[in-house]
């Protein structure tokens, strides 16, 4: 296969119902999976845990990125893991069949991924959804108004990025619209935590050049709630993409979905950009409860200071994090986000 000139390496740009568009040196090819890969995916799906009772919180979520790396290091190098499903951003080996079609022969190991719990999951079956594979940063887009920003949801996004060890950028879009002082205060808080905050507007072009520079030579995912202007931002960054945009529903104040799934695009400045579908509900996939606190960057200096080594930082005596909240060192709002996620109110 190595010497076969018909075998190419490509990156999956999009896919649905077993048909994938793959970018290669010979152009974009419409591909399907080789039979053995389809069977491997079917086996992987059927092997997913399905229980008659609701899974316990410590078994519902997959292991952390640290534990995954340990397993990968111990795994025999001859064993190639098969992901639950082929995702946008995956690198593949494929056989070119003609000028426009190909057959995917092999899926190359992922270097990174951003996942969440699929909305189709039930109490009996937990399903992983990969938003993008092989990325190195995430641009989390929220509007300053229309719709009003929900910073508890932003905290969930940041937590998932921290667990996946991915750089997170915060983009506050529609800055041309009037917005409350709470948005300014939130931006100051996230900046103080070390996150890059970009103010942007497609109406005034504010922040567009800054975003363009931050995206250069990276593989990035644009994600965020519906109606915040992700697709309009991508259009402003890369006008040739001509991504369909939509209006916020005047009846509900929530955005209409204009992107149906992640789609990966090459950037003219170098790198790749995926614009994902708007998300109204975000549930973490692989963050065990005992590792959640470490995903809040401001908690980390206090994790070894609690009186009890197994402190959950909820209501225990001698908790250094609770004391830091009381002292005003840690934001009470961010701490409440942690509590909601820990108790699975938002997880």
């Amino acid at each position: 296969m190595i010497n076969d000139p018909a075998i190419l390496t490509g990156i999956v740009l999009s896919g649905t119902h077993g048909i994938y568009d793959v970018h290669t040196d010979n152009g974009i090819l419409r591909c399907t999976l080789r039979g053995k890969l389809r069977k491997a995916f079917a086996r992987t799906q059927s092997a997913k845990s399905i229980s008659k009772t609701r899974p316990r919180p410590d078994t519902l979520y997959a292991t952390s990125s640290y534990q995954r790396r340990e397993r990968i290091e111990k795994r025999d190098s001859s064993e190639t893991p098969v992901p639950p499903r082929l995702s946008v951003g995956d690198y593949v080996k494929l056989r070119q069949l003609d000028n426009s079609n190909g057959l995917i022969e092999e899926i190359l190991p992922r270097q990174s991924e951003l996942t969440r719990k699929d909305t189709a999951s039930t109490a009996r079956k937990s399903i992983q959804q990969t938003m993008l594979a092989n990325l190195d940063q995430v641009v989390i887009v929220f509007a300053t108004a229309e719709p009003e920003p929900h910073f508890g949801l932003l905290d969930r996004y940041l937590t998932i990025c921290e667990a996946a060890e991915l750089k997170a950028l915060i983009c506050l879009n529609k800055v041309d619209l009037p917005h409350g002082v709470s948005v300014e205060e939130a931006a100051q808080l996230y900046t103080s935590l070390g996150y890059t905050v970009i103010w942007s507007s497609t109406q005034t072009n504010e922040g567009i050049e800054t975003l363009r520079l931050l995206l250069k030579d990276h593989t990035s995912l644009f994600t965020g709630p519906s109606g915040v202007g992700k697709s309009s931002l991508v259009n402003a960054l890369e006008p040739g993409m001509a991504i369909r945009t939509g209006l916020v529903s005047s009846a509900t104040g929530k955005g209409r979905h204009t992107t149906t799934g992640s789609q990966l695009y090459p950037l003219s400045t170098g790198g790749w950009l995926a614009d994902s579908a708007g998300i109204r509900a975000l549930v973490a996939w692989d963050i065990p409860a005992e590792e959640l606190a470490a995903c809040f960057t401001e908690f980390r200096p206090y994790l070894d200071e609690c009186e009890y080594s197994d402190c959950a930082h909820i209501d225990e005596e001698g908790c250094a994090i609770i004391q830091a909240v009381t002292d005003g060192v840690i934001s009470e709002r961010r701490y409440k986000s942690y509590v909601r996620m820990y108790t699975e109110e938002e997880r």
Side-chain angles (χ1 to χ4, degrees):
M1 184 181 295
I2 294 176
N3 298 322
D4 190 337
I7 296 297
L8 303 171
T9 300
I11 183 172
V12 177
L13 302 180
S14 62
T16 182
H17 304 303
I19 300 175
Y20 305 91
D21 288 333
V22 182
H23 182 279
T24 73
D25 289 341
N26 292 353
I28 297 175
L29 301 177
R30 180 63 54 89
C31 299
T32 56
L33 292 171
R34 188 177 178 86
K36 66 178 183 180
L37 282 178
R38 288 200 304 270
K39 293 178 181 177
F41 281 176
R43 287 196 299 270
T44 305
Q45 290 295 328
S46 63
K48 289 294 179 182
S49 59
I50 303 176
S51 64
K52 295 181 180 179
T53 58
R54 180 178 176 83
R56 301 196 331 268
D58 60 342
T59 59
L60 182 60
Y61 303 101
T63 53
S64 70
S65 57
Y66 303 99
Q67 293 168 311
R68 286 199 301 272
R69 280 205 307 274
E70 289 178 0
R71 284 208 310 267
I72 291 171
E73 291 170 359
K74 293 177 181 178
R75 183 187 294 127
D76 186 274
S77 59
S78 63
E79 180 185 346
T80 301
V82 178
R85 63 183 72 172
L86 187 61
S87 299
V88 172
D90 272 323
Y91 285 93
V92 297
K93 292 283 188 181
L94 61 97
R95 183 182 300 277
Q96 185 168 356
L97 302 178
D98 54 36
N99 289 336
S100 58
N101 295 284
L103 184 66
I104 296 173
E105 301 268 4
E106 180 185 353
I107 303 168
L108 301 180
R110 291 176 181 170
Q111 301 304 307
S112 64
E113 61 182 7
L114 189 69
T115 62
R116 65 169 182 154
K117 191 175 177 183
D118 195 286
T119 53
S121 297
T122 66
R124 298 183 62 188
K125 185 176 183 180
S126 189
I127 303 172
Q128 176 184 2
Q129 178 191 11
T130 299
M131 300 167 69
L132 184 64
N134 296 311
L135 71 165
D136 55 19
Q137 66 179 12
V138 181
V139 182
I140 309 167
V141 184
F142 274 68
T144 58
E146 298 182 14
E148 292 295 321
H150 175 14
F151 292 114
L153 178 60
L154 176 55
D155 289 336
R156 274 176 272 164
Y157 274 107
L158 293 172
T159 299
I160 291 174
C161 292
E162 292 289 344
E165 298 182 306
L166 291 168
K167 181 180 180 179
L169 310 176
I170 301 170
C171 178
L172 296 176
N173 195 32
K174 303 185 183 181
V175 69
D176 53 290
L177 298 177
H179 54 269
V181 67
S182 61
V183 178
E184 303 279 349
E185 292 172 348
Q188 292 176 4
L189 170 61
Y190 292 116
T191 300
S192 71
L193 297 177
Y195 293 107
T196 298
V197 178
I198 308 105
W199 297 85
S200 66
S201 168
T202 57
Q203 301 300 311
T204 65
N205 284 327
E206 181 176 349
I208 300 301
E209 188 57 35
T210 299
L211 276 171
R212 190 174 283 121
L213 291 173
L214 290 170
L215 295 173
K216 183 180 179 182
D217 298 327
H218 289 279
T219 299
S220 310
L221 174 70
F222 261 44
T223 187
S226 301
V228 297
K230 296 187 301 297
S231 294
S232 295
L233 276 174
V234 176
N235 282 336
L237 291 163
E238 291 283 338
M241 290 183 183
I243 298 175
R244 192 161 48 94
T245 58
L247 299 175
V248 174
S249 167
S250 58
T252 65
K254 295 182 179 180
R256 296 191 184 104
H257 293 284
T258 60
T259 307
T260 57
S262 293
Q263 171 92 33
L264 194 62
Y265 301 91
L267 293 171
S268 58
T269 54
W272 298 88
L273 175 62
D275 178 34
S276 68
I279 294 174
R280 295 193 181 112
L282 182 68
V283 182
W285 167 260
D286 61 351
I287 309 175
E290 65 272 15
E291 297 183 12
L292 181 63
C295 296
F296 284 72
T297 59
E298 65 269 46
F299 288 11
R300 292 171 187 166
Y302 304 95
L303 292 177
D304 295 328
E305 303 298 324
C306 297
E307 184 173 339
Y308 302 102
S309 60
D310 60 348
C311 184
H313 321 297
I314 300 297
D315 53 14
E316 294 89 344
E317 293 184 4
C319 175
I321 289 175
I322 293 177
Q323 186 61 52
V325 174
T326 302
D327 295 341
V329 179
I330 290 177
S331 160
E332 183 177 2
R333 185 191 63 73
R334 283 271 292 175
Y335 175 71
K336 287 180 178 178
S337 288
Y338 165 78
V339 172
R340 286 194 295 270
M341 281 186 268
Y342 187 90
T343 57
E344 298 188 300
E345 291 180 34
E346 291 187 348
R347 207 154 58 110

